[in-house]
Amino acid sequence: MKILFVASELYPLVKTGGLADVAGSLPKALRELDKDVRVLLPAYQDVKAQLPRARTVAELEVLGQPVRLLADHVPGTAIPLWLLDAPHWFDRPGNPYLAPDGNPWPDNDERFAALCWAGLQIALDRAGLGWRPDVVHGNDWQTGLIPALLSLEPQRPATVFTIHNLAYQGIFPAASLEKLRIPKALWHPEGLEFHHQISFIKGGIVYADRINTVSPTYAREIQTPRFGCGLEGVLKMRSERLSGILNGIDIDKWNPATDPWLPQPYDRDSLDDKGVNKRALQERFGLPQEPIIPLIAFIGRLVSQKGVDLILKALPGLLELPLQFVFLGSGDSDYEHGLLYWSRRHPDKVAVHIGYDETLSHQIEAGADLFLMPSRFEPCGLNQMYSQRYGTIPVVHRTGGLADTVEDALPDRLPRATGLGFDHTETGALQEAVKRGWLLYSQPDLWRTLQRNGMDKDFSWRRSAKEYCRLYLKAIADRRHA
Ligand code: ADP
């Protein structure tokens, strides 16, 4: 199977969010399954600087401008990488979407329409590369026009479109239609039009043979007004073609047995050694080194999506219990100050590190007993998976990927359980779930079962990649029967 994977960011070359991690990991896992996957990415200034050996393999015309395709490989792999080299659109420093003043680049419509038009030429083997994919896999709004433009081509490959973040939609004035060379056939309310504007993401949602998001529960949730960002209607209309595939995690980097950042590595059979990491964490944060007091951690952006306000409201009640808390994150200053306030008031119970610190995040995952993740919405989420891999019990709001990756320790499900969940984003519900965790912690045999259940789960990209292969086959079948 031949797959053209198109994305606007890719770790380690360029990253603003989870999409980059997926683009850096999924093609690799697909290749390990013997798929012929190739990647198309814009040649941003920083990307070109990292790939000085990339050489020109094609010259095209896109939106009336001459552009080039450069060829190299995804770093550290044998995966062919094509860079869309169009200096007037992409030779700019810093963030791929934002100008130095923090606003979107004013020509983002042209920049990513150009990516889509180039993707179309490669997909139809019109770029002179001598390669024709069976499937084009686009990601997020920046690639949304590809399925739309391809839908007008009789000899086209199948298309798959993945939504990593529905909140960003690529909405532009209708006046850009001509400039972007968008065919009239696509311009109607059931097509690219969204409240009289052009919506790139609708191109993917309406026209792709298959659509998916990064967890099955989030795929259902976005069909409702609460999570749908105004697109719930069109997503519901396409629900038969919409599914969810959980992201994987890097199981080599996140492996407690080999993690170089841990004071004491451990595995499922040496969980007593996890205690050494707890002691080190308590010491680092000046918390009393009590092995029997459960240590609860939070790592993440300090924003309302992550339920930080809920944690702040629940803290006073929770601090009446013998618990310790460690927070690592940065974000809204109100939340930062709120957490720092509690750490000053209860320095023996609450510790806070404001900032981004990857090493510390591994040490916290290893040293904590419980991990708090009360996100209001969570397309997939990573930390709850890292936690389970590190024998740390997640306490989660049952939404999106959190609902799909954490098995709640309800009385009838204990043999399979890996964490604790609650249904309503309310202080009382969060407190109740933490209390359940606190009670379980006092039952060592049961606790070990939960830890080992989590550590035994398969969160690998290989598992996700197999599901993507099944999705590609479905898209190819849909295409054939269309
Ligand atoms: P989101 O992409 O919505 O921020 P995820 O849970 O999917 O949330 O992924 C966030 C990633 O960033 C995780 O790997 C998390 O550990 C990491 N992270 C977030 N904040 C910090 C921080 N302050 N220090 C270290 N790592 C962090």
Side-chain angles (χ1 to χ4, degrees), residues 299-301 306 328-329 355-357 361 373 378 381-383 386:
I299 303 169
R301 294 180 291 121
K306 301 291 175 187
L328 166 62
Y356 191 97
D357 189 330
S361 75
M373 215 159 158
E378 195 61 81
L382 294 172
N383 270 311
Y386 300 154

Side-chain angles (χ1 to χ4, degrees), residues 93-391:
N95 186 292
Y97 318 120
L98 305 177
D101 66 2
N103 289 313
W105 291 108
D107 57 351
N108 270 351
D109 53 353
E110 275 181 49
R111 299 171 77 225
F112 294 104
L115 178 68
C116 294
W117 278 110
L120 173 121
Q121 295 193 43
I122 298 174
L124 299 171
D125 196 15
R126 289 182 191 159
L129 298 168
W131 183 81
R132 201 183 173 90
D134 303 302
V135 185
V136 181
H137 182 175
N139 295 277
D140 276 351
W141 74 263
Q142 293 85 353
T143 62
L145 292 185
I146 299 178
L149 298 172
L150 278 174
S151 74
L152 303 174
E153 298 288 337
Q155 300 296 325
R156 68 171 177 88
T159 50
V160 167
F161 183 70
T162 302
I163 301 167
H164 302 263
N165 196 336
L166 190 61
Y168 298 93
Q169 303 184 352
I171 307 281
F172 300 102
S176 294
L177 275 171
E178 208 168 312
K179 184 175 68 173
L180 307 181
R181 316 236 169 152
I182 291 176
K184 285 218 166 51
L186 301 173
W187 182 245
H188 51 84
E190 283 79 44
L192 296 180
E193 190 178 337
F194 186 65
H195 301 292
H196 311 295
Q197 295 188 293
I198 309 168
S199 164
F200 276 38
I201 202 168
K202 264 189 88 187
I205 294 172
V206 173
Y207 293 101
D209 295 309
R210 288 277 163 168
I211 317 146
N212 81 302
T213 178
V214 288
S215 70
T217 296
Y218 191 61
R220 284 192 298 278
E221 288 173 338
I222 58 175
Q223 298 175 51
T224 65
R226 185 165 156 214
F227 297 95
C229 303
L231 289 167
E232 57 275 9
V234 60
L235 285 160
K236 205 170 167 57
M237 239 158 52
R238 299 225 65 207
S239 64
E240 279 177 18
R241 302 292 183 97
L242 169 62
S243 61
I245 298 180
L246 284 166
N247 287 336
I249 58 172
D250 184 333
I251 55 172
D252 298 323
K253 193 171 149 207
W254 290 92
N255 179 354
T258 56
D259 191 329
W261 288 324
L262 303 193
Q264 175 65 59
Y266 59 95
D267 62 21
R268 71 184 300 292
D269 298 317
S270 57
L271 273 163
D272 282 344
D273 287 347
K274 185 169 159 62
V276 178
N277 296 289
K278 177 171 177 177
R279 215 164 32 247
L281 195 63
Q282 287 168 321
E283 189 182 354
R284 172 182 174 138
F285 280 105
L287 296 168
Q289 292 178 43
E290 300 273 5
I292 57 158
I293 295 184
L295 196 161
I296 305 181
F298 173 96
I299 303 169
R301 294 180 291 121
L302 300 177
V303 295
S304 132
Q305 182 205 329
K306 301 291 175 187
V308 185
D309 49 331
L310 209 63
I311 296 178
L312 284 169
K313 282 198 210 112
L315 260 184
L318 291 174
L319 287 170
E320 288 169 15
L321 297 172
L323 296 170
Q324 295 179 346
F325 291 87
V326 167
F327 293 93
L328 166 62
S330 62
D332 294 354
S333 63
D334 282 359
Y335 296 148
E336 292 182 355
H337 289 131
L339 292 173
L340 288 167
Y341 167 82
W342 287 110
S343 74
R344 275 194 305 272
R345 242 185 112 168
H346 295 277
D348 57 330
K349 289 190 156 190
V350 182
V352 178
H353 181 100
I354 301 293
Y356 191 97
D357 189 330
E358 209 174 330
T359 309
L360 184 56
S361 75
H362 284 240
Q363 291 162 348
I364 291 176
E365 284 290 6
D369 298 302
L370 291 139
F371 191 92
L372 214 47
M373 215 159 158
S375 309
R376 289 177 194 284
F377 69 94
E378 195 61 81
C380 179
L382 294 172
N383 270 311
Q384 82 281 11
M385 294 193 267
Y386 300 154
S387 296
Q388 289 171 75
R389 205 154 153 72
Y390 278 59

Side-chain angles (χ1 to χ4, degrees), residues 4-118:
L4 175 63
F5 189 92
V6 190
S8 56
E9 45 187 283
L10 183 150
Y11 182 84
L13 294 171
V14 48
K15 169 166 171 164
T16 73
L19 164 60
D21 293 320
V22 178
S25 303
L26 177 58
K28 235 192 284 187
L30 287 167
R31 194 167 162 99
E32 280 161 19
L33 297 174
D34 290 327
K35 306 300 167 201
D36 178 3
V37 56
R38 305 185 186 201
V39 178
L40 172 65
L41 183 76
Y44 307 111
Q45 191 178 82
D46 294 348
V47 169
K48 261 174 97 171
Q50 291 171 72
L51 299 171
R53 285 201 297 266
R55 62 191 169 85
T56 304
V57 288
E59 297 189 354
L60 319 172
E61 195 185 294
V62 169
L63 300 182
Q65 303 276 345
V67 302
R68 297 184 306 162
L69 287 179
L70 312 181
D72 204 320
H73 293 94
V74 174
T77 76
I79 299 168
L81 170 67
W82 288 308
L83 300 174
L84 176 60
D85 187 26
H88 49 293
W89 286 316
F90 299 121
D91 189 8
R92 301 174 193 180
N95 186 292
Y97 318 120
L98 305 177
D101 66 2
N103 289 313
W105 291 108
D107 57 351
N108 270 351
D109 53 353
E110 275 181 49
R111 299 171 77 225
F112 294 104
L115 178 68
C116 294
W117 278 110

